[in-house]
Amino acid sequence: MGNQQSQFEALIIPHAPALLRFARRLSGSATVAEDLVQDALLRAWRSVDTVRNHANPKAWVFRILLNTWYSEGRRRSARPVEAPLAEAARVGQASPGDTSEMMQALGRLPEEQRSVLLLTVVEGFTGQEVAGMLDIPAGTVMSRVSRARAAMRASLSEEAAGEQKKAGVGLP
Amino acid sequence: MNFDERLRHEVMAETPDASGVVSAVRAQIERDGQRRLWLQIAAAVMLTAGAGAAWQATRPTHPRLLEAAARDHRVEVVENKPRRWKLDVPAMQPLMAQYHVGWNDVQALLPVGFVLEKAKECRIGGQPTLHMVFSDGNRALSVYVRASGEDMKVEQVSVQDADVAAFHRGKLSGIVVAANAPGLCAEAVRRLTSL
């Protein structure tokens, strides 16, 4: 128990904020994210003895979180609609102005693109690590990242064009 | 700032407070640990109780009574110490009747080749007991019938060189003893309990 506890505290708990941040962007709900991270951490606790077999404990616990998310997908889909992303933004202290545009564009991405973008660009995992987490080829990961970037850029451009248009309408 | 840097910067600017989740996880782990501890304690208790029950099931129900009967058989039958026995059937029958033992019972429980040799009243375990001795000329079998008619569990043990078995059948309950006669005690109990 002592060794298990110390491994858990040293290797897993430090990643809790990153897991929560990712879970909120993945689920779009602060409440769902907290439940998801709690379930994932408890699953990690039960098999923490095996973490030393993994080169990257952070990748290991993120994989557990994703497995928890997908294994509970059916149950989740049967639930009422969860608290909206706006709640996450409020609780997550999203930055105002263009930051929220970026976050809104991210939120509009399909889940499969949003997750790979967050895992690679934000959390810094390699394509190979993300491929291992999602059980998909590394090439698929990279193509999803490309499509996600393109979709976000397009979304942000549209947003900027709309703002300019609105500003133009307002001129005398 | 390129697109990736901007995205990373903005997402990382979110600093969600994970302390609540971590506290909940630690509390759950604590509860799991306590439940596991209680389960271990419960398992140990059940194991101990099971071992106790197994020991209880295998130990004789009336060990002192069985030992007393074996001792009595050795002194009065094997060593043939002088006692006032009733040796003829007319003298034995009234005594047997006091213990609800009919002549038909005696005939039925006799092992093949054995005859009722003698009977007397004695005390086993402080209680009045009918002691009948059956013999085929070489081997002797003591049948002790208890006046109390208490419900005795059918069981057999060895006391030194004697086989001792308790029996219970209808109104009859008691003990059978045979020394240096392998199988005789068990055969007598089989006959007694199938009467």
Side-chain angles (χ1 to χ4, degrees):
Chain A
M1 180 88 173
N3 191 37
Q4 184 185 7
Q5 183 81 44
S6 58
Q7 282 197 56
F8 185 69
E9 292 290 337
L11 301 176
I12 305 302
I13 288 296
H15 302 300
L19 287 167
L20 189 56
R21 184 172 53 225
F22 174 73
R24 289 161 72 155
R25 287 292 152 200
L26 183 68
S27 67
S29 161
T31 310
V32 172
E34 288 188 356
D35 288 349
L36 178 61
V37 172
Q38 188 170 329
D39 287 353
L41 287 175
L42 286 170
R43 286 186 186 197
W45 160 258
R46 287 179 197 122
S47 49
V48 74
D49 289 342
T50 65
V51 71
R52 71 181 77 133
N53 302 329
H54 297 267
N56 186 347
K58 183 182 175 184
W60 179 77
V61 71
F62 264 76
R63 180 176 186 147
I64 290 174
L65 182 128
L66 284 161
N67 286 341
T68 308
W69 171 251
Y70 291 121
S71 69
E72 292 190 354
R74 188 172 295 170
R75 184 151 46 111
R76 201 170 53 240
S77 64
R79 284 182 197 159
V81 177
E82 299 286 356
L85 187 62
E87 183 201 355
R90 178 178 56 77
V91 179
Q93 303 159 7
S95 303
D98 63 346
T99 303
S100 67
E101 284 169 16
M102 190 77 160
M103 293 298 101
Q104 284 168 13
L106 180 66
R108 282 193 291 270
L109 287 178
E111 183 187 303
E112 63 174 29
Q113 290 181 15
R114 190 167 68 247
S115 59
V116 292
L117 194 65
L118 288 166
L119 290 168
T120 52
V121 173
V122 178
E123 300 301 336
F125 293 115
T126 65
Q128 203 66 44
E129 285 171 333
V130 175
M133 287 178 207
L134 297 171
D135 280 330
I136 55 175
T140 304
V141 172
M142 298 325 290
S143 65
R144 283 185 190 176
V145 170
S146 285
R147 283 202 300 272
R149 280 195 190 106
M152 277 191 72
R153 280 195 185 108
S155 179
L156 289 168
S157 298
E158 281 173 22
E159 196 82 24
E163 289 296 321
Q164 280 175 359
K165 201 173 173 182
K166 265 195 255 178
V169 168
L171 289 172
Chain B
M1 192 183 283
N2 69 27
F3 175 83
D4 282 2
E5 284 172 351
R6 191 177 152 201
L7 175 63
R8 190 180 310 114
H9 178 263
E10 293 191 9
V11 174
M12 296 291 259
E14 291 183 356
T15 51
D17 181 6
S19 61
V21 175
V22 171
S23 297
V25 168
R26 285 185 179 131
Q28 183 65 46
I29 288 169
E30 179 74 19
R31 281 195 296 275
D32 285 353
Q34 285 173 350
R35 191 164 54 220
R36 195 180 312 143
L37 181 65
W38 279 111
L39 284 172
Q40 285 170 348
I41 291 169
V45 167
M46 287 175 71
L47 199 64
T48 307
W55 178 79
Q56 187 72 25
T58 54
R59 74 188 262 272
T61 311
H62 307 283
R64 288 183 185 166
L65 215 54
L66 299 181
E67 285 167 13
R71 199 163 46 245
D72 188 84
H73 176 81
R74 187 173 61 251
V75 172
E76 297 192 345
V77 179
V78 177
E79 297 170 4
N80 202 17
K81 293 279 169 69
R83 294 291 188 270
R84 284 188 289 182
W85 291 98
K86 298 187 187 305
L87 300 172
D88 56 281
V89 174
M92 285 191 262
Q93 275 182 324
L95 178 61
M96 287 158 54
Q98 289 177 34
Y99 289 86
H100 308 290
V101 178
W103 191 246
N104 288 339
D105 295 332
V106 173
Q107 295 298 316
L109 66 82
L110 278 176
V112 177
F114 278 70
V115 294
L116 178 58
E117 192 175 75
K118 54 191 177 182
K120 73 174 183 68
E121 194 170 32
C122 63
R123 294 184 84 82
I124 297 291
Q127 281 196 19
T129 305
L130 169 66
H131 182 187
M132 297 180 287
V133 179
F134 300 85
S135 173
D136 66 353
N138 293 317
R139 298 171 298 170
L141 177 75
S142 283
V143 177
Y144 296 91
V145 179
R146 307 271 287 168
S148 62
E150 65 191 300
D151 195 358
M152 293 187 73
K153 188 175 127 192
V154 176
E155 57 188 346
Q156 182 170 329
V157 297
S158 293
V159 180
Q160 296 177 348
D161 56 357
D163 292 327
V164 187
F167 70 89
H168 180 82
R169 172 74 182 187
K171 289 179 181 173
L172 297 180
S173 69
I175 301 163
V176 176
V177 185
N180 301 312
L184 180 59
C185 183
E187 186 196 342
V189 169
R190 263 197 306 277
R191 293 177 72 91
L192 274 164
T193 52
S194 63
L195 276 175

